[in-house]
């Protein structure tokens, strides 16, 4: 499934990430995945949240630069090599994976991966019919 | 639109020059008799007041400088005894040593007129409510705007600067229609209003902003955030205060009130007067001011003068917005750098969509100059991966290198982490001067 990812610019100063998390918590936004990419001077926090539009709005109001982009949420099979199959499938259709990270589903017992590719629509079409495509809005968002 | 002093504001070039000549001769004579610094320089140049017959002789006169105000501090350059001086204004200047200027009753009158001409030009009348958010006190901004607004009979809210929540509260409660403050403070107030969602409660229609350099981009941003027309005003206390140069309703340069001031553009290196229209250092002679006369005062502001007729019908020359200062120049690793050049590069990268907020830090480490530039991150620069942010930093650094011929370390920082001052925007820290 294509999901909305919220990314925020974080200056690498102590406490910035905590401030951001507090702002989201104070506005009743759940974070179900977070991945931090950083250099020496700054970082980018990428998040899967229960309400991306609201999260972006409250962060912007608190002075944080952020952006919403589309990424792929892929269901993890519990059979060995299940995720490797998904990666192969994408790679064979020359989808370069920019980055990926694990995400918890709002439903117990289901594991998800967040995958970022250039052409997210085409990648989604590839996996939609497979078991990896077994992701539903209720797994990600608070509905 | 209406004019305050229609006859003076529409004098033909010939009439203006006749008036300027008459007043220049008067000013040179009395300044020579009363001000030692000027007399000495005239004597050194082998000149007497009798050699000055009119504006055709202006170029012969010696220059005066900011340094003179420090050397003759406090009252050495005044041309009237203290009993005729009714007010002083002072500033600390960038080097820390104070300067002071004095005004007679007539000087305050002509100052109020100069500012009031602008208010009238932008459509203000006695029906308007003018919120003055320039600092009141020794700085000329507050009282200059105050007296100008009083002259046209407007209702003045004497706010002074600072306490932004109260500024906004008063603006709404008292129905301010015109705001006077520094452009960086106007932008700050605009951001706060936007954040609080109060724009639709404002009655503001125009703002007069000056006392620091600002860009056309900032103008658009202020106009958008406050829902007003933003007008530019020029002035410096050594000449008068705000009101020396004023935009009219057409916003195509600032009319210099030539019945009070004669502007010249010179080459700052050779000191030669440049032909009409050329860009160079702006020099002023005050021909009516009594308390503190300035003869050929070097402003250090770089700009040009436009003598073509203005659509508004005023005949007074228009100065373009100064693009830099001949003494703002930083010398980094032997290369001349103007902060305005840095600003231009940043504007070109943002696609003209955003006003980049930046801060330059220069230092010397192991006998090498360091040049660091903090730039506030904006959504236009931001992507969801570190690589593309690094690419933005690289693009800025590369464009600066080709514009300045100098390497710079760029740091993207959080929005609003660079201080927005409530007075003049400070954009440079040269630590080399401190040690
Ligand atoms: Zn005009």
């Amino acid at each position: 499934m294509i999901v909305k990812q919220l990314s925020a610019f974080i200056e690498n100063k102590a406490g910035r990430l905590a401030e951001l998390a507090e702002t989201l918590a104070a506005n009743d936004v759940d974070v179900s995945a977070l991945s931090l990419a950083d250099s020496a001077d700054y970082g980018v926090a990428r998040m899967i949240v229960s309400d991306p539009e609201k999260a972006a709005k409250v962060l912007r109001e608190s002075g944080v630069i952020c952006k919403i982009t589309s990424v792929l949420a892929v269901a993890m099979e519990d059979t060995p090599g299940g995720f490797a199959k998904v990666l192969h499938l994408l790679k064979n259709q020359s989808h370069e994976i920019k980055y990926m990270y694990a995400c918890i589903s709002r439903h117990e017992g289901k594991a998800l991966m967040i995958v970022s590719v250039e052409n997210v629509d085409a990648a989604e079409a590839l996996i939609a019919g497979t078991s990896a495509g077994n992701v539903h809005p209720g797994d990600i968002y608070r509905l | 639109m209406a004019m305050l002093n229609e006859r003076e504001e529409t004098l033909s070039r010939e009439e203006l020059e006749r008036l300027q000549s008459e007043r220049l001769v008067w000013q040179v004579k009395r300044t020579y008799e009363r001000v030692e610094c000027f007399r000495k320089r005239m004597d050194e140049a082998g000149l007497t007041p009798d050699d000055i017959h009119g504006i055709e002789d202006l170029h012969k006169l010696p220059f005066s400088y900011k340094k003179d105000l420090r050397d003759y501090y406090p009252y050495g350059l005044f041309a009237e005894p203290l009993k005729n001086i009714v007010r002083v204004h002072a500033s600390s200047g960038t080097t820390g040593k104070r300067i002071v200027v004095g005004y007679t009753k007539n000087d305050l009158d002509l100052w109020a007129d100069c500012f009031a001409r602008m208010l009238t030009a932008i459509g203000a009348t006695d029906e308007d409510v003018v919120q003055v958010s320039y600092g009141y006190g020794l700085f000329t901004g507050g009282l200059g705007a105050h007296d100008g607004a009083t002259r046209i009979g407007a209702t003045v809210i004497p706010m002074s600067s600072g306490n932004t929540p109260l500024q906004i509260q008063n603006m709404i409660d008292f129905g301010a229609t015109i705001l006077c403050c520094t452009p960086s403070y106007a932008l700050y107030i605009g951001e706060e209003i936007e954040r609080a969602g109060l724009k639709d409660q404002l009655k503001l229609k125009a703002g007069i902003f000056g006392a620091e350099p600002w860009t056309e981009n900032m103008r658009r941003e202020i106009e958008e955030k406050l829902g007003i027309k933003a007008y530019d005003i020029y002035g410096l206390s050594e000449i008068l205060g705000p009101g020396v140069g004023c935009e009219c309703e057409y916003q195509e340069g600032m009319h210099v009130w030539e019945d009070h001031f004669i502007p010249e553009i010179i080459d700052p290196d050779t000191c030669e007067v440049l032909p009409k229209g050329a860009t160079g250092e702006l020099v002023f002679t005050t021909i009516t001011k009594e308390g503190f006369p300035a003869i050929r005062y070097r402003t250090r502001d770089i700009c040009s003068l436009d003598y073509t007729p203005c659509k508004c019908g005023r005949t007074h020359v228009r100065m373009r917005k100064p693009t830099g200062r001949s003494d703002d120049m930083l010398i980094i690793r032997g290369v001349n750098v103007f902060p305005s050049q840095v600003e231009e590069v940043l504007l070109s990268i943002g696609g003209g969509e955003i006003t980049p907020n930046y801060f330059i830090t220069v230092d010397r480490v192991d006998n090498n100059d360091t040049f660091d530039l903090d730039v506030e991150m904006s959504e236009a620069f931001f992507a969801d991966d570190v690589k593309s942010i690094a690419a933005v930093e690289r693009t800025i650094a590369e464009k600066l290198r080709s514009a300045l011929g100098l390497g710079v370390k760029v740091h993207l920082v959080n929005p609003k982490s660079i201080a927005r001052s409530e007075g003049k925007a400070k954009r440079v820290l040269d630590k080399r001067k401190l040690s």
Side-chain angles (χ1 to χ4, degrees), chain B residues 248 255 310 312 314 318:
Chain B
C248 63
H255 289 284
C310 181
C312 70
R314 290 179 185 80
R318 285 169 291 161

Side-chain angles (χ1 to χ4, degrees), chain A residues 72-121:
Chain A
L72 220 50
V74 176
M76 299 281 280
E77 288 176 72
D78 45 9
T79 52
F83 188 60
K85 264 195 285 179
V86 176
L87 295 183
H88 272 297
L89 188 60
L90 291 171
K91 212 178 147 202
N92 287 342
Q93 298 296 318
S94 43
H95 285 287
E96 188 95 31
I97 291 169
K98 290 198 285 183
Y99 54 82
M100 57 187 175
Y101 55 97
C103 175
I104 49 168
S105 164
R106 296 181 72 84
H107 291 122
E108 228 174 301
K110 193 168 183 182
L112 305 173
M113 275 307 259
I114 300 299
V115 179
S116 168
V117 292
E118 198 61 55
N119 188 345
V120 65
D121 290 312

